[in-house]
Amino acid sequence: MGPQHPSTHGVLRMVLKMDGERVVDCDPVVGYLHRSIEKMAENRTFTQVIPVTDRLDYCTSMTSNYVYVLAVEKLADLTPPPRAEYIRVIMTELNRIASHLLWYGTFCLEIGATTPFLYSFRDREKVLDLFESACGARLLYNYIRIGGVSQDINQKFLDRMIEFLDYWEPIIPEYEQLLDENPIFYNRTVGVGTVPLAMCRNYGVSGPNVRAAGVAEDVRRDDPFAVYKELEFDIPVEKESDVFARYRVRMRELRESARILRQCYEKIPTGAFGLPLNYRFKVPPGETYVHIESPRGDIGCYLASSGGDMPWRCKFRTPSFVHIQLFKKLLEGVLIPDIMAICASFDIVLPETDR
Amino acid sequence: MTPGEFAAHLGEQYSEHKFSLDELNEECVLLPLEIVPQCFEFLRDDDATQMDYFDFSTCVDRPPDRLDLVYSMYSTVHKHRAQFKVILDRHNAAVPSVSHLWENANWNEREIYDLYGVFFPGHKDLRRLMMPDDWEGHPLRKDYAHPNLVVRPD
């Protein structure tokens, strides 16, 4: 199956050994999208690496920008101004909404439902319009910079954001109505692709996928970065750990993101939006690791500097890389049509796996 | 547990070896190469550490002779996190596999083998992961040369 399979959001090949309609053995083959991002990062200044991190995960470029920038700031001991911290949280949460909406649409496409895709992309466009007004780009933002962000947001942006939330929050139940009481969707997802918690631990599953297995784990809560300490939000948890539970967790996360955004609107301070930094500034030698919560799970950056103006080593720990390993075990004995449902439910993104 | 306490805790268990913090990364404990799998098994199973979540492992190339192998781990029980580092000989890099302890280590080790040329004896399925099977060389090594790879002039 693959590498050009429509349901893989990129290029994933799965070598399947079949017995009729049932999978006997599955070997996921990755690397088709390997663009040597980590090697490229070693040959650019710290600032020039940011647009490269955009290409890690095209659905949530803000989070990839963010984790890299946090690593540089930790190593260089820089503290961004409070306004920048809030802007970053706003952008990350908006990106989480955009990413979950994209997931919702494509997930439904993959199990054969076309209509939800149209609704989710209609609303995702509105989030992308917001990004466009803030930084000029719709998908690859290069917005979060070392010490702050590339440009300030104005009151008009914030008002448009609230306008969007007022319009969009009542629509979330509509998304759910399309699927929740649909017997076909129910039969395709409940009890399919169940991952026991012990298996989650062994494989290092994170993000919404582990929250669907009944534990409230979230980097935003367990290891808070930026201003997440000051914000109130719940961590949605489901117990069943099947495809349906993973869908439910993501739907509930949409509401929590909206809640965070409304608090940011109230609390965002005025002031500077970045630190003045030399273009080729140097970072003291050392190594560090930071991680944040991306819409897909725990994304991290291990950064080593040798004291120059370019990273010595820049490793990205990406959640999809971890989740794809799970398929070998998980797809044993499932039917061919369920492969789609299971793969899609993990929200894998191949560019971030292959880097 | 802080990284310093990890070093002390490991020192109590394996008193004949020395455990210190890495001077480059204060969250990182240096492990002696000889007892790598035993250390990790201990870290995973001991009640005080319980590192049940293997985050990732990666390498940092430090020519001419040194190659650092970094492991990052987390305990979902105690909510503590640390990195562990093993210093390898760059010309003959090999370290026993830990993929039997955490499944997640499987692909991480394959990736390191592919991009850095580190061997993991004991690994079930050590193939290239990112690069094509017939690729020559290990691209993330600092001395890797390729016609398409242009080094930025300083």
Side-chain angles (χ1 to χ4, degrees), chain A residues 280 287 312-313 317 355, chain B residues 55 59 61-62 111 152:
Chain A
R280 289 188 73 167
E287 292 175 18
W312 184 256
R313 171 79 173 113
R317 184 259 188 227
R355 301 188 293 274
Chain B
D55 215 356
C59 271
D61 192 10
R62 300 197 178 277
E111 190 192 350
R152 209 193 69 178

Side-chain angles (χ1 to χ4, degrees), chain B residues 60-108:
Chain B
V60 183
D61 192 10
R62 300 197 178 277
D65 296 321
R66 202 174 135 178
L67 188 70
D68 298 355
L69 179 59
V70 184
Y71 298 88
S72 175
M73 266 159 231
Y74 179 65
S75 165
T76 53
V77 184
H78 300 295
K79 308 271 180 206
H80 53 208
R81 164 184 300 281
Q83 278 113 48
F84 301 92
K85 188 183 262 190
V86 185
I87 294 174
L88 307 175
D89 172 16
R90 193 164 177 278
H91 309 289
N92 185 19
V95 65
S97 169
V98 294
S99 61
H100 59 285
L101 300 174
W102 298 276
E103 284 289 344
N104 189 11
N106 182 350
W107 275 24
N108 278 286

Side-chain angles (χ1 to χ4, degrees), chain A residues 17-42:
Chain A
K17 202 185 277 177
M18 307 295 297
D19 178 15
E21 283 279 298
R22 296 228 173 241
V23 179
V24 179
D25 189 32
C26 163
D27 183 24
V29 180
V30 298
Y32 291 92
L33 287 168
H34 181 56
R35 291 144 298 160
S36 65
I37 279 181
E38 290 170 3
K39 186 80 178 171
M40 284 159 77
E42 292 174 10

Side-chain angles (χ1 to χ4, degrees), chain A residues 45-298:
Chain A
T45 63
F46 281 99
T47 315
Q48 284 173 334
V49 176
I50 301 172
V52 180
T53 64
D54 277 340
R55 274 82 183 161
L56 264 185
D57 180 351
Y58 56 89
C59 305
T60 56
S61 295
M62 288 290 183
T63 13
S64 327
N65 284 178
Y66 198 3
V67 68
Y68 166 74
V69 164
L70 272 179
V72 179
E73 282 170 359
K74 190 173 170 193
L75 209 49
D77 201 15
L78 300 168
T79 313
R83 184 173 174 84
E85 300 258 36
Y86 270 95
I87 296 176
R88 288 169 174 192
V89 169
I90 288 174
M91 293 302 171
T92 321
E93 291 304 324
L94 278 173
N95 222 173
R96 193 183 310 277
I97 291 175
S99 171
H100 278 0
L101 286 178
L102 181 131
W103 171 82
Y104 169 77
T106 51
F107 168 65
C108 295
L109 272 186
E110 278 148 28
I111 55 172
T114 325
T115 320
F117 174 78
L118 303 172
Y119 289 100
S120 79
F121 268 56
R122 175 193 67 192
D123 299 330
R124 180 174 173 261
E125 266 324 278
K126 293 183 169 52
V127 185
L128 298 189
D129 287 344
L130 277 172
F131 285 135
E132 196 178 8
S133 73
C135 63
R138 295 167 64 78
L139 215 55
L140 306 168
Y141 311 108
N142 188 16
Y143 181 68
I144 297 176
R145 300 287 174 85
I146 297 156
V149 292
S150 73
Q151 49 218 299
D152 203 0
I153 53 174
N154 51 21
Q155 190 58 38
K156 201 173 155 207
F157 174 90
L158 293 170
D159 291 339
R160 278 183 64 195
M161 184 181 87
I162 292 300
E163 211 176 285
F164 163 73
L165 292 178
D166 288 341
Y167 151 81
W168 175 73
E169 270 190 294
I171 290 182
I172 306 175
E174 287 184 21
Y175 298 147
E176 293 172 335
Q177 274 168 16
L178 282 168
L179 297 178
D180 273 6
E181 285 152 35
N182 181 335
I184 304 174
F185 180 75
Y186 217 70
N187 288 338
R188 291 288 310 269
T189 55
V190 174
V192 174
T194 310
V195 195
L197 185 58
M199 193 170 158
C200 285
R201 293 287 186 239
N202 198 7
Y203 279 86
V205 175
S206 57
N209 299 329
V210 75
R211 293 198 278 278
V215 281
E217 256 174 35
D218 192 317
V219 184
R220 293 175 291 177
R221 178 67 54 82
D222 296 339
D223 198 358
F225 50 96
V227 289
Y228 278 108
K229 246 176 272 172
E230 300 159 26
L231 301 170
E232 264 180 47
F233 59 97
D234 293 328
I235 301 173
V237 171
E238 297 280 335
K239 286 196 183 66
E240 292 77 15
S241 192
D242 53 4
V243 174
F244 189 75
R246 293 193 274 276
Y247 148 78
R248 286 298 311 155
V249 165
R250 289 200 173 84
M251 285 293 118
R252 287 167 61 194
E253 277 186 24
L254 287 176
R255 293 189 177 83
E256 296 305 320
S257 288
R259 213 171 126 196
I260 293 175
L261 285 170
R262 283 185 191 280
Q263 291 172 47
C264 288
Y265 177 79
E266 299 294 331
K267 286 184 173 174
I268 187 168
T270 52
F273 64 89
L275 303 172
L277 279 177
N278 190 343
Y279 168 63
R280 289 188 73 167
F281 75 101
K282 292 191 165 58
V283 171
E287 292 175 18
T288 192
Y289 177 64
V290 293
H291 66 147
I292 65 172
E293 182 79 15
S294 98
R296 265 160 274 292
D298 181 353

